[in-house]
Amino acid sequence: MLQNQGREMMIVTSGAVAFGKQRLRHEILLSQSVRQALHSGQNQLKDMSLPVLEARACAAAGQSGLMALYEAMFTQYSTCTAQVLVTNLDFHDDDKRQNLNSTLQELLRMNIVPIINTNDAVVPPPEPNSDLQGVISIKDNDSLAARLAVEMKADLLIALSDVEGLYDSPPGTDDAKLIDIFYPGDQQSITYGTKSRVGIGGMEAKVKAALWALQGGTSVVIANGTHPKVTGHVITDIVEGKKVGTFFSEIKPAGPTVEEQTEMARNCGRTLASLHPDQRSEIICHLAELLIERKEEILAANKLDMDLAANAGHLPPAMLKRLSLSPAKLNSLAIGLRQIAVSAQDSVGRVLRRTRVAHNLELEQITVPIGVLLVIFEARTDCLPQVSALAIASGNALLLKGGKEAANTNRVLHQLTQEALFLHGVREAVQLVSTREEVEDLCRLDKMIDLIIPRGSSQLVRDIQRAAKGIPVLGHSEGICHVYVDADASIDKVINIVRDSKCDYPAACNAMETLLIHRDILRTPLFDQIIDMLRTERVKIHAGPRFASYLTFSPSEANSLRTEYGDLECCMEVVDSMQEAVDHIHKYGSSHTEVIVTENEDTAEQFLQMLDSACVFWNASSRFADGYRFGLGAEVGISTARIHARGPVGLEGLLTTKWVLRGDGHTVADFSEHGTMKYLHENLPVRQPLAGQRDSN
């Protein structure tokens, strides 16, 4: 594929010895079988064992088989290949090296892929420590590839291994960590293991060759090449600049890597979780004070972001509104943070259940932090202090990745957050990722991050849900919210609720996207008032198929009944009953927020019971699906998941539980023949949280 894109590709390969060994063994066995048959009437041959096969003979016998395989594979893609066999002399002798260079350049010019290998049929056995001064000798594929890369001035050398890349200690050991970027000065921190099972050099030889090629001006990546279904993707991902394997770089960045930031956050987060609730509340209150005291600094940074966004001209008005900060918005943020500070008093360590399992054996279920949260948000300047406060209140470490549109504002807000955390020595518990890490790269940190919370467009959420294969994602990919106007609805309530649900903030995920109208309301004054109000508010209406069938001249028909417009647009559809409205929502909704407007209590209660969306309202705007309006102080997002937190997720949604068993050391688990433990199951009154924390009801 890369060759067909116009790139010049070369392959360094081995396999001739293995091919030849298989072929020679077959020939020897066949020969012995013939001899056995010739001697069948005489004494049996005593020695039928295979002789030791010499590697150079195997290489001579296997070269044709190796090339036949490559030719057969590349011919399927109309790509021509050519074999080039080399020895050390081809690099050490200037004339031979020039001839090799010319040959390879000519093949590349003709769009032919050179397949290069050492001429193992004539090469002498490798001598230890035979490297020339400043020159690497050809001992294996890695050193050969490095020599060729430098000789041909290659842009990139991809060395495929049987592990994901370079680890700081042998892969498989308990503390082994994959190194994403390796710098020449980091060599002393590596402990190498045994040699590779698929080559003769091992990782140490790969690193040595990679560093030599890097010094010669070629970029190097070591990655896993043993999975046939994904190796092609590995190669193309590397060429596209994605974080795969280990990248060798001569320039070390000034700041910590995202892995180091996550490690710092986790370690400091554990200290944060062990603080007294009053101390966590004090940190949040101090952050609220800083938002007011340093508002001029915050607003100056925000103005810089707004000016840059306006000059770029690519942000829609709704995004610009989210990006903007004002003194009133900062005051509102500070009020919300103080509410969170109060909630933090009885969050971590709260006893949910207490049971006496047996004599002198008490079991408690208590609330604990989830661990390390990764929150990825777009141009939402109010998100950083809100989410930081919720993480602090719940004792969670936090990794933040904001949109580049708000880079200056986020930098100042993060500095203030760390200033507040410094009050009790947990400054590093909240980290802001400022490097150019792709979302996919962050989602690879499945051993370091416990929960991902995306805040942004439905496309962002979907991308993260696809990328985060090993990390739970809390959020919703779509906010397709419905308002159903029943036959028994009040005119005034309908107008107010529909207007607020659609027009208050059309870009919000809790804005109405589909308006369902009972059939009996068509051609009534109420229907006319709804249409007039939407026209006055400049809402573009897309007709559903049934609604369009009732009209002679209908609005443009909706392309889909499952559309999140995120603007002053909505779909309008007609239903025959409340049950049909419920069926429509189940079929086309996203389980976010649904509203019924009716004066019939029985109809309303059925609607509330039958729908399984995260939020279901009666005679209330869909815009009430919000953590601040729910009294949560703030929210990290709205979840439509079926497990863990659902709806607006505040402080409670960032906690999990653990079981604590206190015994006297003498009670043992006693299981009956049926495998059920014999125990007392006496529920005890829930007492105060862990020692040192305030009483909790």
Side-chain angles (χ1 to χ4, degrees), residues 377-549:
F377 54 100
E378 294 178 324
R380 297 167 180 256
T381 46
D382 57 348
C383 181
L384 194 150
Q386 285 180 341
V387 172
S388 297
L390 286 169
I392 294 164
S394 56
N396 285 292
L398 180 61
L399 200 63
L400 293 157
K401 172 67 173 170
K404 62 180 182 295
E405 302 85 2
N408 295 292
T409 311
N410 286 337
R411 177 177 47 78
V412 173
L413 290 172
H414 178 249
Q415 287 172 354
L416 298 181
T417 303
Q418 290 203 318
E419 190 175 323
L421 287 162
F422 185 71
L423 194 65
H424 289 292
V426 286
R427 184 178 183 274
E428 306 300 333
V430 176
Q431 297 284 330
L432 179 66
V433 179
S434 55
T435 56
R436 289 187 169 186
E437 299 290 333
E438 295 293 333
V439 168
E440 279 188 33
D441 297 332
L442 292 169
C443 292
R444 289 173 57 242
L445 304 175
D446 57 310
K447 290 182 173 61
M448 307 172 79
I449 293 170
D450 300 297
L451 180 67
I452 299 177
I453 304 171
R455 295 288 306 272
S457 66
S458 56
Q459 187 60 50
L460 171 72
V461 179
R462 281 194 294 269
D463 290 344
I464 291 171
Q465 287 173 335
R466 276 195 296 267
K469 295 182 174 63
I471 311 174
V473 178
L474 188 150
H476 64 281
S477 58
E478 294 174 305
I480 304 173
C481 303
H482 296 77
V483 173
Y484 164 57
V485 180
D486 187 52
D488 298 321
S490 157
I491 292 179
D492 292 339
K493 290 179 183 177
V494 169
I495 299 302
N496 288 335
I497 289 170
V498 172
R499 179 190 286 116
D500 191 66
S501 295
K502 179 71 256 185
C503 308
D504 175 61
Y505 193 179
C509 65
N510 57 10
M512 180 193 79
E513 302 295 0
T514 298
L515 178 61
L516 299 175
I517 302 287
H518 193 284
R519 184 184 59 183
D520 294 348
I521 294 176
L522 289 176
R523 300 185 178 90
T524 67
L526 171 57
F527 177 76
D528 293 338
Q529 288 187 46
I530 294 172
I531 297 299
D532 289 343
M533 182 273 293
L534 291 174
R535 283 175 177 165
T536 302
E537 297 290 344
R538 303 192 176 190
V539 177
K540 183 178 180 180
I541 299 172
H542 301 274
R546 286 197 61 189
F547 179 47
S549 68

Side-chain angles (χ1 to χ4, degrees), residues 108-127:
L108 293 172
R109 189 186 66 79
M110 293 188 292
N111 205 32
I112 295 172
V113 177
I115 297 178
I116 307 155
N117 193 6
T118 53
N119 192 353
D120 293 325
V122 298
V123 73
E127 299 177 14

Side-chain angles (χ1 to χ4, degrees), residues 262 264-270 272-273 369-374 391-392 394-399 428-431 450-451:
T262 310
M264 286 190 292
R266 181 180 286 281
N267 293 335
C268 213
R270 289 176 177 138
L272 174 67
I370 289 173
V372 178
L373 312 177
L374 167 61
I392 294 164
S394 56
N396 285 292
L398 180 61
L399 200 63
E428 306 300 333
V430 176
Q431 297 284 330
D450 300 297
L451 180 67

Side-chain angles (χ1 to χ4, degrees), residues 286-305:
H286 186 41
L287 177 57
E289 292 167 3
L290 288 171
L291 291 180
I292 305 302
E293 292 172 6
R294 308 269 281 277
K295 64 181 178 184
E296 299 302 329
E297 184 182 348
I298 299 168
L299 293 174
N302 184 244
K303 184 179 184 303
L304 181 57
D305 286 329

Side-chain angles (χ1 to χ4, degrees), residues 25-45:
R25 278 179 175 170
H26 177 76
E27 293 296 330
I28 291 169
L29 286 172
L30 183 63
S31 175
Q32 287 180 342
S33 297
V34 171
R35 290 166 61 198
Q36 180 71 39
L38 292 173
H39 292 79
S40 59
Q42 305 171 16
N43 294 331
Q44 296 293 316
L45 290 175

